Amino acid sequence: MNILFASSEAHPLIKTGGLADVSGSLPRAILGLHHDIRVIIPAYREILKHAQQLTLAAYLDLEGVRLPVRILSGRLPGGNVKLYLVDSPPHFDRAGKPYTTSSGSPWLDNAERFTVFCRAIHALAVNDAGLDWQPDIVHCNDWQTGLVPVMLRETSAAPASIFTIHNLAYQGLFDWKTFQSLKLPDDWWSIDALEFHDKFSFIKGGLIFADWLTTVSPTYADEICTPEFGCGLEGLLTLRKQSLTGILNGADYTVWNPGRDLHIPVQYNLRSLFHKIENKRDLQEHFALPVDNAVPLFTVISRLVEQKGIDLILEILPDLVKQNAQLVVLGSGDSQLEAALQQASARHPEHIGIHIGYDEVLAHRVEAGADIFLMPSLFEPCGLNQIYSLRYGTVPVVRRTGGLADTIVDTTPETLADKTATGFCFHQASATALWSAVERALAHYRKPDSWAQIMDTGMRQDFSWKRSAQQYVELYTRIIAQHKYGQILESNVIQ
Ligand code: ADP
């Protein structure tokens, strides 16, 4: 199969969250299954600065774009996946982050930027870019690519499309004036198309018009069809439930493997787990915490936003301190949450260490050095850090939602007996419920045998891409066949 994989970020070129991890590793796994998959992302300045061996593949004249857009071609680092960069300097060659300025405000022209991106993806998808290559299917990811399925529906002999929801909370909503300025077909502003409560919704383009929908865990696929998690789109998603599949994200164990991780002071694996202590010492020193292996060391690595349940963590901090535990937090995001965590650290420097910012290397050191990983998300489409934590023997305490429910097995007398326990889960989104899970974790931490067993089971879990990539390939095959069959039926009707 020929597959065009469209995403607004891809590790290691550019990353704001889990989407980049997926876009950096899933295509490699699919290439390994012998399919011609090519990744397309915007040519942000950050990428142009570091990317090597790019060649000019095409010039595109796109509707509504004054200057020609260049398609640069190269390889995704760390593998052999072909990469296309959409180089439109007025839209992407600027200082700052992919969706926001350096200080975190959304770019005012985001709708225009990602409309240009979608137009370029469409041009490649219908073999209109002079590349002499056409995909059988376009795999779109999140709202930034949401217009592609609509554009494809309006093109004859277009490839099939699949749209993956990585986080339904981000929908790409813009006002009527913005919609008008984009010069898109008028009939797209309709409740049956892209209008959503008087706004122009990019994500609806994917949700309504893609041949198939996926999301990143089976539990989240069910959850988004309910009012609690559907962000107002549960009705539409329920209608499409027959074409919605949850496929768990995989972890890239070439990047996240404590046995080969060059970012951590001392590598370790199941047979040399005693080396984890040295990583713990490194982490305690780094955060100026008392160096003591007996003290349980908790960690959070996260975007600091409401979704991640950071409020709940703030509420249990006094209890953690009372228990003489330590906590290190690596994250950035909401300025109030950042300030609250910094204040807590200033009040209890012997117990709480904070690093505000995004630091890939430190994330590895934290995973290696900590004992317990906290992830009390209010909702979590898949979540990757709890999966990385398992491999690093850092036992996760998670809320039972979305991908967290699908990846962590709660510790109970039964799961300990049958050796399936990998962490601690709680249900209610409350500090009391989180604290009772933490207390259970602490009780087991003090029993070295049962703790060693939980770590051991976690480290043996295999969440590599192998199985999930196979599931995507099976789905692509089915959708392409269905799409072609539908086109034949349609053309018969027209005749
Ligand atoms: P989300 O996509 O909602 O942010 P995920 O758990 O799916 O959450 O993925 C988050 C990814 O971003 C992980 O690879 C995690 O290690 C990384 N990450 C998040 N915050 C930071 C940070 N401050 N520094 C380094 N890596 C981070």
Side-chain angles (χ1 to χ4, degrees), residues 37-111:
I37 183 163
R38 305 184 183 188
V39 172
I40 180 163
I41 59 174
Y44 304 108
R45 176 175 295 178
E46 194 60 26
I47 297 183
L48 291 176
K49 253 193 326 203
H50 299 113
Q52 284 165 0
Q53 294 182 325
L54 294 175
T55 55
L56 177 62
Y59 276 108
L60 304 178
D61 274 316
L62 299 178
E63 222 178 302
V65 187
R66 267 183 296 118
L67 299 172
V69 170
R70 296 193 312 168
I71 299 294
L72 307 175
S73 153
R75 300 270 161 197
L76 202 57
N80 221 4
V81 175
K82 193 154 188 167
L83 172 73
Y84 293 122
L85 296 175
V86 177
D87 184 27
S88 179
H91 298 107
F92 302 118
D93 186 5
R94 53 177 77 167
K97 300 181 186 167
Y99 322 123
T100 66
T101 61
S102 310
S103 59
S105 328
W107 291 112
L108 293 176
D109 58 350
N110 267 342

Side-chain angles (χ1 to χ4, degrees), residues 15-19 21 167 256 301-303 307-308 330-332 357-360 363 375 380 382-386 388:
K15 169 166 167 177
T16 73
L19 171 62
D21 288 353
N167 191 335
W256 294 97
I301 304 172
S302 180
R303 290 184 294 118
Q307 175 202 337
K308 301 290 181 180
L330 166 60
S332 64
Y358 188 92
D359 188 330
E360 193 92 18
M375 201 155 172
E380 193 57 74
C382 178
L384 287 167
N385 263 311
Q386 84 281 10
Y388 303 152

Side-chain angles (χ1 to χ4, degrees), residues 16-202:
T16 73
L19 171 62
D21 288 353
V22 174
S23 307
S25 49
L26 171 60
R28 196 165 359 112
I30 290 175
L31 184 72
L33 296 172
H34 312 294
H35 297 284
D36 184 355
I37 183 163
R38 305 184 183 188
V39 172
I40 180 163
I41 59 174
Y44 304 108
R45 176 175 295 178
E46 194 60 26
I47 297 183
L48 291 176
K49 253 193 326 203
H50 299 113
Q52 284 165 0
Q53 294 182 325
L54 294 175
T55 55
L56 177 62
Y59 276 108
L60 304 178
D61 274 316
L62 299 178
E63 222 178 302
V65 187
R66 267 183 296 118
L67 299 172
V69 170
R70 296 193 312 168
I71 299 294
L72 307 175
S73 153
R75 300 270 161 197
L76 202 57
N80 221 4
V81 175
K82 193 154 188 167
L83 172 73
Y84 293 122
L85 296 175
V86 177
D87 184 27
S88 179
H91 298 107
F92 302 118
D93 186 5
R94 53 177 77 167
K97 300 181 186 167
Y99 322 123
T100 66
T101 61
S102 310
S103 59
S105 328
W107 291 112
L108 293 176
D109 58 350
N110 267 342
E112 181 183 322
R113 298 169 73 226
F114 290 104
T115 300
V116 170
F117 182 46
C118 289
R119 286 193 195 281
I121 298 165
H122 176 258
L124 263 72
V126 297
N127 199 9
D128 209 9
L131 297 177
D132 201 19
W133 181 83
Q134 181 163 22
D136 302 300
I137 188 163
V138 185
H139 187 156
C140 300
N141 294 278
D142 274 354
W143 73 262
Q144 294 86 350
T145 58
L147 303 187
V148 176
V150 205
M151 293 173 177
L152 291 175
R153 279 292 167 115
E154 301 198 339
T155 319
S156 59
S161 62
I162 181 170
F163 184 84
T164 297
I165 304 160
H166 293 263
N167 191 335
L168 193 60
Y170 299 95
Q171 301 181 358
L173 295 177
F174 302 93
D175 60 17
W176 158 248
K177 254 172 90 181
T178 307
F179 173 73
Q180 271 191 319
S181 71
L182 296 172
K183 307 222 162 26
L184 296 167
D186 286 342
D187 59 357
W188 287 15
W189 185 274
S190 140
I191 196 142
D192 299 321
L194 309 192
E195 187 202 339
F196 183 63
H197 297 292
D198 235 14
K199 288 266 160 61
F200 169 52
S201 161
F202 269 62

Side-chain angles (χ1 to χ4, degrees), residues 258-259 264-282 293 368-369 392 455 459:
I264 65 177
V266 188
Q267 284 88 42
Y268 62 96
N269 56 30
L270 263 172
R271 284 177 305 283
S272 56
L273 202 48
F274 45 90
H275 284 315
K276 190 165 165 68
I277 298 174
E278 292 155 64
N279 292 293
K280 181 168 177 178
R281 186 186 318 127
D282 162 71
N293 184 45
Y392 282 71
M455 285 170 79
M459 291 177 81

Side-chain angles (χ1 to χ4, degrees), residues 201-494:
S201 161
F202 269 62
I203 202 169
K204 264 186 89 183
L207 302 187
I208 295 184
F209 296 98
D211 292 300
W212 204 274
L213 305 176
T214 70
T215 188
V216 289
S217 69
T219 296
Y220 192 59
D222 288 334
E223 287 175 342
I224 55 177
C225 295
T226 67
E228 190 185 348
F229 296 94
C231 306
L233 291 160
E234 59 276 8
L236 168 55
L237 288 162
T238 304
L239 276 176
R240 293 221 62 190
K241 204 158 183 194
Q242 298 309 317
S243 330
L244 167 64
T245 312
I247 302 180
L248 205 58
N249 281 340
D252 185 348
Y253 291 127
T254 61
V255 177
W256 294 97
N257 172 2
R260 286 163 184 251
D261 190 335
L262 297 178
H263 296 315
I264 65 177
V266 188
Q267 284 88 42
Y268 62 96
N269 56 30
L270 263 172
R271 284 177 305 283
S272 56
L273 202 48
F274 45 90
H275 284 315
K276 190 165 165 68
I277 298 174
E278 292 155 64
N279 292 293
K280 181 168 177 178
R281 186 186 318 127
D282 162 71
L283 197 58
Q284 288 171 322
E285 279 170 0
H286 181 86
F287 281 94
L289 297 169
V291 174
D292 184 348
N293 184 45
V295 173
L297 176 49
F298 289 75
T299 186
V300 175
I301 304 172
S302 180
R303 290 184 294 118
L304 300 177
V305 293
E306 196 194 349
Q307 175 202 337
K308 301 290 181 180
I310 307 299
D311 282 357
L312 307 186
I313 291 170
L314 284 166
E315 275 188 63
I316 66 160
L317 287 184
D319 292 319
L320 271 184
V321 170
K322 255 188 252 157
Q323 290 281 334
N324 192 31
Q326 296 175 344
L327 169 72
V328 300
V329 179
L330 166 60
S332 64
D334 183 298
S335 52
Q336 280 180 350
L337 292 173
E338 288 181 358
L341 286 163
Q342 275 169 323
Q343 278 162 17
S345 166
R347 229 175 296 131
H348 304 287
E350 306 236 304
H351 294 280
I352 303 172
I354 304 287
H355 181 105
I356 297 293
Y358 188 92
D359 188 330
E360 193 92 18
V361 173
L362 188 55
H364 286 248
R365 285 168 63 191
V366 172
E367 282 290 6
D371 296 304
I372 300 168
F373 188 82
L374 293 178
M375 201 155 172
S377 307
L378 305 183
F379 67 93
E380 193 57 74
C382 178
L384 287 167
N385 263 311
Q386 84 281 10
I387 299 177
Y388 303 152
S389 298
L390 288 174
R391 189 48 65 102
Y392 282 71
T394 304
V395 176
V397 173
V398 303
R399 176 143 184 265
R400 192 180 287 119
T401 182
L404 299 174
D406 293 336
T407 52
I408 305 301
V409 177
D410 190 34
T411 299
T412 64
E414 293 76 36
T415 59
L416 269 180
D418 66 15
K419 295 203 162 77
T420 54
T422 57
F424 296 86
C425 306
F426 64 99
H427 189 68
Q428 276 250 319
S430 71
T432 320
L434 167 61
W435 182 248
S436 74
V438 166
E439 275 189 315
R440 285 195 295 128
L442 284 172
H444 283 280
Y445 181 79
R446 293 187 189 110
K447 290 187 257 175
D449 285 350
S450 87
W451 195 253
Q453 185 196 310
I454 299 167
M455 285 170 79
D456 183 279
T457 310
M459 291 177 81
R460 288 177 195 278
Q461 299 301 303
D462 183 1
F463 287 104
S464 60
W465 271 110
K466 226 185 300 155
R467 195 180 335 144
S468 301
Q470 188 62 47
Q471 278 178 276
Y472 276 108
V473 165
E474 282 162 18
L475 204 51
Y476 294 158
T477 312
R478 194 142 50 90
I479 299 164
I480 291 167
Q482 258 178 30
H483 181 80
K484 283 197 177 136
Y485 183 62
Q487 279 180 342
I488 293 167
L489 280 183
E490 261 171 44
S491 66
N492 283 346
V493 171
I494 291 164

